[in-house]
Amino acid sequence: MAAAAPIPAPAPAADDEIVYESMPCIRIYKDRVERYFGSEFVAASADADAATGVASRDRVISPEVSARLYLPRLDPAKDSKLPVLVYYHGGGFCLGSAFNPTFHAYFNNLAALAGVLVVSVEYRLAPEHPVPAAYADSSDALAWVVSHAAPGAAAAGFEPWLADHADFARLYLGGESAGANIAHHVAMRVGAEGLPHGAAIHGLLMIHPYFLGTDKVASDDLDPAARESLASLWRVMCPTTTGEDDPLINPFVDGAPGLDALACGRVLVCIGEGDVLRDRGRAYYDRLRASGWSGEADIWQAPGKGHTFHLLEPCCEEAVAQDKVIAEFLNH
């Protein structure tokens, strides 16, 4: 008697088809997303954080965009006008939140250390809202911040922390990883379109920027699997992309807007020696300086450290050193 033919395993249900995963952080199915990291919520500290004296509160900017603001303790003997940092969190365009405990702790510390007013932006995440939605939301957040530079803003029912304490001559954009990518593109848009009310971006903070490219760089070999995962992630976050040489993810490629049009006078690039994206960040610094851009650029490398190490080990020696470099940059 002939053996029965094996019964083929059933095909996975359509809703169980995995498009992308990076465990233990996220799994993206064809019809849903499961996030296991970065979406935790912590309330703002209206009465000031006990350890740092920094107060925080949340504002809705539009149906799509919101933000958490951080105001350090004010010194009555000093000018109450502070530098403003508009910050875009990282997370590969698909993870993270302005309201999670990691960023809340980070900005309590940074606002106190640097004496800056921070606006941490909550933008829509991919893949539910594919790139370039994050760029549009982030530009809208900057426009909202700058609207407080208008004459009479304090009397017009605007956010009083911005109307009363923001020094728009010291306006900074910043972000880490995908947030640095966003900050770059927002600054380039400002270079093309300008800002109202005489506002201008004074500086750009680029921490471990998420850029790719088909050209090979040495840091690609630090972790080939992570490097390939970042490439796969980009294709899922931006389904209309042309690939790794899309100007949205490779600002150095032919056809990308020239870096000489970057709308700020100062840039600080922070990289980690052990980060697979290290040399993309270094290339940003090198290409910017060679572009004819008229500003001042600096680069700082954390010895031995990987991608966004400062959020994972905020008290390590290298994170403390990086925070000091950033604080000095924001007060120059």
Side-chain angles (χ1 to χ4, degrees), residues 97-163:
S97 168
F99 310 125
N100 79 26
T102 297
F103 286 107
H104 186 71
Y106 178 68
F107 287 122
N108 276 330
N109 179 69
L110 184 63
L113 178 66
V116 298
L117 199 169
V118 177
V119 181
S120 179
V121 177
E122 180 81 346
Y123 54 86
R124 289 173 294 172
L125 299 178
E128 298 95 330
H129 305 281
V131 174
Y135 301 142
D137 291 353
S138 299
S139 290
D140 288 348
L142 175 61
W144 175 78
V145 170
V146 169
S147 72
H148 293 77
F158 284 26
E159 166 53 52
W161 285 2
L162 287 169

Side-chain angles (χ1 to χ4, degrees), residues 146-192:
V146 169
S147 72
H148 293 77
F158 284 26
E159 166 53 52
W161 285 2
L162 287 169
D164 295 341
H165 301 299
D167 180 355
F168 288 100
R170 294 183 289 168
L171 174 62
Y172 292 82
L173 298 185
E176 97 288 343
S177 193
N181 176 302
I182 292 170
H184 162 78
H185 285 292
V186 172
M188 292 298 293
R189 179 173 174 177
V190 172

Side-chain angles (χ1 to χ4, degrees), residues 17-18 99 107 127 161 218 242 252 255 330:
E17 182 179 341
I18 296 174
F99 310 125
F107 287 122
W161 285 2
T242 56
F252 323 124
L330 296 174

Side-chain angles (χ1 to χ4, degrees), residues 12 41 51 81 108 148 249 276 290 304 329:
F41 177 85
K81 294 291 188 179
N108 276 330
H148 293 77
I249 199 68
V276 71
F329 173 73

Side-chain angles (χ1 to χ4, degrees), residues 37-62:
F37 173 83
S39 300
E40 308 88 340
F41 177 85
V42 65
S45 307
D47 296 326
D49 175 67
T52 63
V54 173
S56 55
R57 64 183 176 208
D58 300 337
R59 283 297 306 261
V60 174
I61 296 172
S62 73

